[in-house]
Amino acid sequence: MGRLQRFESKLEQAVSSAFAKTFRSAVQPVEISAALQREVDNNAQIVSRTRRVVPNVFHVELSGADHDRLAPYDLEVTFAEELDVHAHQQGYAFPGPISIDFAVAEELTTGRFRVRSEAQGRVIHHASQTQVGRARALLVVNGTRHPLQAPGLVVGRGSDADLRVNDPGMSRRHAEFVVTDGARGPAVEVHDLGSTNGITVDGHRVSRATLHDGSRVQAGNTTMTVALVEEQSDV
């Protein structure tokens, strides 16, 4: 019995024959599982002779009817387990935890769906929640917030980087965010540290640039957004 057949059998056992009747003329879960695995295969990135990195964040878009039918069955965990098995068999590596979400796309009709994916590296930093809460400048990376405080921090995939991102497209020390305190708040610049793939700021390739609230710095496959926090005045 093939992997997809085993998956379909497991689903049928989990939710009984009523599940099959519900999905007879709509999107079949096994179709989504197969599409997720194809998405991984089609986007595998070779980073060494023995390592291929694949997307770990997946967005499944469905019609409203299909979304409503799937919602009660909490399939995210099952799909993630299947992807993990597939990746192990193919020798793939995920840059971070697997995440799968479902959303409604109004233009899709019943029985049709699409899958989008991206690679989001695991982010390692040792700032405390207190430091994050007090910071007047933040760097938002893959949904995590990190304080930008003078004199700044180095971002890269190496263990000696201040903010470590498990992104194969990053150099070990990729870029430095330089922070200078001022009367009106911190000033932030980004400097490329001679990285292999360089950096862009708001879509423009640069070696260094002054950053503002909302500036988006791209390094490898990772987008980092600067957030400047207005100081609260006492009333």
Side-chain angles (χ1 to χ4, degrees):
M1 182 181 293
R3 184 170 60 254
L4 291 180
Q5 287 79 10
R6 291 197 300 271
F7 173 64
E8 189 173 32
S9 176
K10 182 168 64 175
L11 283 178
E12 290 176 352
Q13 293 173 11
V15 297
S16 79
S17 60
F19 184 89
K21 293 177 182 178
T22 300
F23 290 97
R24 181 173 298 159
S25 60
V27 171
Q28 298 288 332
V30 69
E31 294 177 306
I32 297 177
S33 180
L36 289 168
Q37 293 179 25
R38 285 196 302 272
E39 187 73 10
V40 164
D41 293 337
N42 293 338
N43 290 281
Q45 181 180 356
I46 299 174
V47 295
S48 72
R49 293 181 60 184
T50 59
R51 188 166 181 256
R52 288 181 292 174
V53 174
V54 294
N56 60 310
V57 176
F58 303 88
H59 310 282
V60 181
E61 297 179 343
L62 304 146
S63 70
D66 284 320
H67 184 274
D68 291 345
R69 291 188 182 98
L70 282 167
Y73 296 101
D74 191 24
L75 296 173
E76 292 90 338
V77 173
T78 303
F79 286 150
E81 290 174 349
E82 285 297 307
L83 279 176
D84 194 51
V85 171
H86 179 69
H88 179 73
Q89 292 174 339
Q90 300 299 320
Y92 298 149
F94 293 109
I98 298 173
S99 172
I100 303 171
D101 64 63
F102 296 88
V104 174
E106 298 296 341
E107 72 275 14
L108 294 177
T109 57
T110 301
R112 298 181 65 84
F113 69 96
R114 60 173 168 253
V115 176
R116 296 181 294 107
S117 67
E118 56 186 310
Q120 286 192 0
R122 181 183 286 107
V123 181
I124 301 173
H125 195 234
H126 301 295
S128 68
Q129 288 301 313
T130 299
Q131 290 173 312
V132 172
R134 291 178 177 175
R136 296 183 63 190
L138 296 165
L139 193 63
V140 183
V141 188
N142 294 348
T144 61
R145 301 188 305 158
H146 309 274
L148 285 172
Q149 299 170 323
L153 57 80
V154 172
V155 177
R157 62 177 173 82
S159 58
D160 56 342
D162 301 308
L163 181 62
R164 186 178 180 185
V165 184
N166 186 27
D167 180 344
M170 277 195 185
S171 297
R172 297 185 62 82
R173 289 171 59 86
H174 197 105
E176 181 177 14
F177 289 82
V178 179
V179 182
T180 306
D181 289 328
R184 296 185 178 181
V188 184
E189 293 184 351
V190 63
H191 300 174
D192 181 16
L193 296 178
S195 63
T196 300
N197 296 321
I199 61 173
T200 64
V201 174
D202 296 328
H204 301 286
R205 183 71 174 259
V206 298
S207 59
R208 62 170 55 196
T210 299
L211 305 176
H212 309 281
D213 185 44
S215 291
R216 295 167 63 86
V217 180
Q218 182 82 22
N221 299 311
T222 301
T223 299
M224 300 169 283
T225 304
V226 173
L228 300 182
V229 182
E230 291 187 5
E231 189 171 18
Q232 299 294 321
S233 59
D234 296 330
V235 179

